[in-house]
Amino acid sequence: MPHDTTLIATIAVGLGLAFVGGFVARWLKLPPLVGYLLAGVAVGPFTPGFVADGGLAGQLAEIGVILLMFGVGIHFSIKDLLAVRNIAVPGAIVQIAAATVMGTVVASWWGWSLGAGLVFGLALSTASTVVLLRALEERGILDSVNGRIAVGWLIVEDLAMVLALVLLPALGSVFGSTEAPESAAVSGSSLMWTLAVTLGKVCLFVALMVVAGKRLVPWLLSQAAKTNSRELFTLSVLAVALGIAFGAAALFGVSFALGAFFAGVVVSESDLSHRVAEDSLPLQDAFAVLFFVSVGMLFDPMVLVRQPLQVLAVLAIIVLGKSLAAFFIVLMFRYPVNTALTVSASLAQIGEFSFILVGLGVALGLLPKDGQSLVLCGALLSITLNPLVFKAIDPLLGWLRRNPRFATRMDPEEDELSDLPIGMGEVELREHAVLIGYGRVGGVIGQSLTERKIPFVVVEQNREYVERLREEGVPAIYGDAAVPGILEHARLDTASILIVATPDALQAREIVEQVKGVNPSLPAVVRTHGDEERAYLESLGVDRVVIGEHALARSMVDYVLERLSALKAGPVVPTPADALVP
């Protein structure tokens, strides 16, 4: 291959095989990420045939990391994190610590150094946001309480990993190279000084971004937008992402990933953030694919033959160890068992941050090459198995609920919030509405009922929502409405209507089946996502099943027909209400 076409060959073959691998993975109902990693294995040095240039692939991967972290920063939402902070923040921190300890203990058993164990454990502790979001979207629970908790949990993990990427170079100088263990003996004062200098540089960079970047970057993007040139605006986005990432590394000694993340956070404050995300998405996707391909190139498939027991140990930590830790952490915070199972399944895989961590660990001499291969192998296997883990939630949840001994232990039925306080609702709850879920949809319904002075009781899985509602004087019950016994406290026998606003289709089914068993004549309106689910709910006796997209379309059509009829009838004299309509 002529030298001047190596870059073209690496990109063309890498993207071509990634497309084939991703297409086959989706056909097999697997995340496309599996196909991208396998494409990297195919063009790597450990398999026969074409071998891509590892150096060029590594630099392309760096661009992928920058754009990936830039996208994470743009979509980073303080509001979403604060909504579930009471469980997501402490839960994620404890789970990361538990998984890191498990990885460190196993690594020390294999004879690795403490530094290698820490990097190894951290890499196994963080899940892939890309894989999680796709799994939650496919199940239709991204906007549910469980989905928001899982996403908030991963946001905390991402922030923790960003901090780990900042501190790893400092730890590398403290623990020393795996090839030179004698350099690992560094005093405690030296460690503290190194960490202090590193954190000082990071704080200076963050302060500069908050003070200057928050004003300069949105202004720069707005000036590019005023030119009405799409290519100039796209170029400004790339200049911001790559320029800040490179400047952060060159001037402050922080990682490309951290610089790109804060560039995205600053851009998210701009009114043009949605356009920035839209314009950068194609490039972000393309280079992210090259990142996963370059990671696959580092994977030696023979590790499955040479170290099968170590591979199984890694997979056990990822799928069982940290998932069980998350399961019991969620239960300790007195959340329902279905929330614990959803969070556990969400964490039963590792992804992009794990690859970045082990790559940096190997570059710093902290982690041996075998460690990188084991983590990559664990990622491939866990991502492949993750859809099966999610599919196991419903049968396992059903089995637990059919066994009262487990259900009573794992679901917070005896929680003080799982029943109405004495006196609350005793008089008002006659011919009332029972509202299941108080999220984005349920909250709007609840406000409308309050304005019309219609009595209602809320059943909600988010403890913070229930506590806030009770402070406002709204009758609210904490718990999973699908669990037998929870809805008994909502006075179903005297209710006038059931409103199921939760987006979880399986939960909605179980709620309706349970309610119809108690009060068959109770009218019900249920939110769902598809025609098949609507047909099933109607067969159970639900009076009205609402599909969000259909309701939106009908509302728009009603408005169009109304305006067209008005135009045919003659000139329309604008009213204050009409003037508000664009």
Side-chain angles (χ1 to χ4, degrees):
M1 179 69 65
H3 178 71
D4 55 356
T5 62
T6 305
L7 175 62
I8 298 174
T10 300
I11 294 176
V13 177
L15 290 179
L17 287 178
F19 167 72
V20 174
F23 189 84
V24 172
R26 289 300 298 163
W27 182 69
L28 295 174
K29 308 293 185 182
L30 296 173
L33 185 58
V34 175
Y36 306 154
L37 291 169
L38 290 177
V41 175
V43 298
F46 304 104
T47 54
F50 174 80
V51 177
D53 188 299
L56 287 176
Q59 293 189 44
L60 293 172
E62 288 285 5
I63 299 177
V65 170
I66 291 171
L67 294 177
L68 191 66
M69 293 304 301
F70 182 65
V72 171
I74 290 177
H75 293 102
F76 176 71
S77 173
I78 292 288
K79 182 180 178 181
D80 289 345
L81 178 58
L82 291 178
V84 293
R85 64 188 182 279
N86 290 343
I87 182 172
V89 175
I93 292 173
V94 174
Q95 177 260 310
I96 289 172
T100 302
V101 169
M102 285 187 277
T104 304
V105 169
V106 170
S108 65
W109 184 39
W110 293 338
W112 295 1
S113 66
L114 178 59
L118 288 174
V119 175
F120 182 69
L122 281 172
L124 301 184
S125 70
T126 179
S128 167
T129 307
V130 175
V131 174
L132 170 68
L133 292 178
R134 179 59 60 86
L136 295 179
E137 286 174 352
E138 289 179 350
R139 287 177 59 86
I141 59 173
L142 183 58
D143 291 329
S144 67
V145 174
N146 295 343
R148 290 196 295 271
I149 291 175
V151 172
W153 194 296
L154 256 70
I155 288 175
V156 177
E157 282 194 351
D158 288 350
L159 292 175
M161 292 307 111
V162 168
L163 181 61
L165 290 174
V166 171
L167 296 179
L168 268 186
L171 291 175
S173 65
V174 171
F175 289 104
S177 168
T178 55
E179 298 175 358
E182 65 276 1
S183 65
V186 180
S187 66
S189 59
S190 176
L191 171 62
M192 295 304 296
W193 172 251
T194 304
L195 293 178
V197 170
T198 302
L199 289 175
K201 291 181 178 179
V202 173
C203 291
L204 181 60
F205 167 70
V206 172
L208 183 62
M209 291 298 296
V210 170
V211 175
K214 196 174 180 180
R215 294 177 175 82
L216 179 61
V217 172
W219 177 83
L220 180 64
L221 293 175
S222 66
Q223 295 304 308
K226 288 178 182 178
T227 64
N228 293 321
S229 172
R230 186 179 182 87
E231 62 269 20
L232 273 178
F233 185 79
T234 303
L235 186 59
S236 69
V237 172
L238 289 175
V240 166
L242 297 175
I244 292 178
F246 180 77
L251 300 177
F252 298 95
V254 301
S255 66
F256 289 133
L258 181 67
F261 173 77
F262 275 100
V265 171
V266 169
V267 169
S268 69
E269 300 292 327
S270 168
D271 295 335
L272 297 168
S273 59
H274 293 291
R275 183 178 172 186
V276 170
E278 181 182 349
D279 282 13
S280 63
L281 188 60
L283 284 170
Q284 179 185 324
D285 288 344
F287 279 98
V289 168
L290 288 174
F291 165 68
F292 292 121
V293 170
S294 70
V295 169
M297 290 175 60
L298 302 173
F299 174 61
D300 182 4
M302 291 304 295
V303 72
L304 292 167
V305 178
R306 294 194 308 265
Q307 300 167 294
L309 295 180
Q310 290 180 311
V311 170
L312 288 176
V314 170
L315 193 61
I317 293 174
I318 297 170
V319 178
L320 295 178
K322 70 173 184 172
S323 296
L324 285 174
F327 180 82
F328 289 111
I329 290 169
V330 174
L331 291 182
M332 285 174 58
F333 280 88
R334 307 181 80 176
Y335 274 78
V337 66
N338 73 333
T339 301
L341 288 173
T342 301
V343 173
S344 299
S346 302
L347 300 175
Q349 40 84 14
I350 58 175
E352 50 273 4
F353 266 113
S354 303
F355 306 149
I356 299 171
L357 279 169
V358 295
L360 183 58
V362 171
L364 294 172
L366 283 171
L367 188 70
K369 280 284 187 180
D370 283 350
Q372 187 175 42
S373 295
L374 288 170
V375 170
L376 295 176
C377 188
L380 272 168
L381 294 176
S382 64
I383 291 171
T384 304
L385 292 174
N386 197 241
L388 299 178
V389 175
F390 265 101
K391 287 181 180 179
I393 291 178
D394 295 341
L396 182 56
L397 191 59
W399 179 81
L400 288 172
R401 285 174 177 163
R402 288 191 300 271
N403 290 266
R405 181 180 60 180
F406 293 102
T408 54
R409 289 181 180 179
M410 292 186 174
D411 279 304
E413 293 185 18
E414 309 214 349
D415 193 295
E416 60 180 5
L417 297 179
S418 65
D419 193 4
L420 296 175
I422 297 175
M424 177 177 278
E426 294 292 339
V427 177
E428 295 87 348
L429 295 184
R430 296 288 186 275
E431 298 185 353
H432 59 284
V434 177
L435 175 57
I436 312 297
Y438 206 79
R440 295 176 181 176
V441 175
V444 174
I445 296 172
Q447 290 173 8
S448 298
L449 295 175
T450 301
E451 291 169 0
R452 290 164 175 78
K453 297 183 179 180
I454 299 174
F456 66 99
V457 59
V458 174
V459 182
E460 169 60 50
Q461 289 182 248
N462 191 313
R463 292 184 64 89
E464 289 77 14
Y465 288 0
V466 173
E467 291 169 352
R468 188 188 70 206
L469 287 169
R470 289 197 176 190
E471 290 174 358
E472 297 172 357
V474 177
I477 297 169
Y478 165 66
D480 179 3
V483 175
I486 293 293
L487 280 177
E488 293 177 2
H489 306 301
R491 315 291 196 269
L492 289 175
D493 54 336
T494 61
S496 61
I497 191 168
L498 171 72
I499 308 169
V500 181
T502 175
D504 191 326
L506 176 67
Q507 186 183 32
R509 281 190 182 197
E510 295 177 341
I511 292 170
V512 171
E513 291 170 354
Q514 188 181 152
V515 170
K516 289 300 181 181
V518 175
N519 189 349
S521 61
L522 182 65
V525 55
V526 181
R527 169 190 178 188
T528 192
H529 300 282
D531 293 323
E532 182 180 348
E533 193 64 30
R534 178 176 63 180
Y536 180 80
L537 290 169
E538 289 175 345
S539 71
L540 294 176
V542 175
D543 302 84
R544 175 66 64 88
V545 180
V546 180
I547 299 177
E549 292 79 3
H550 293 185
L552 175 63
R554 280 196 297 269
S555 178
M556 296 178 72
V557 168
D558 289 343
Y559 175 76
V560 170
L561 295 177
E562 177 188 340
R563 298 301 293 181
L564 291 177
S565 298
L567 290 173
K568 288 181 180 179
V572 178
V573 179
T575 65
D578 292 329
L580 295 176
V581 180

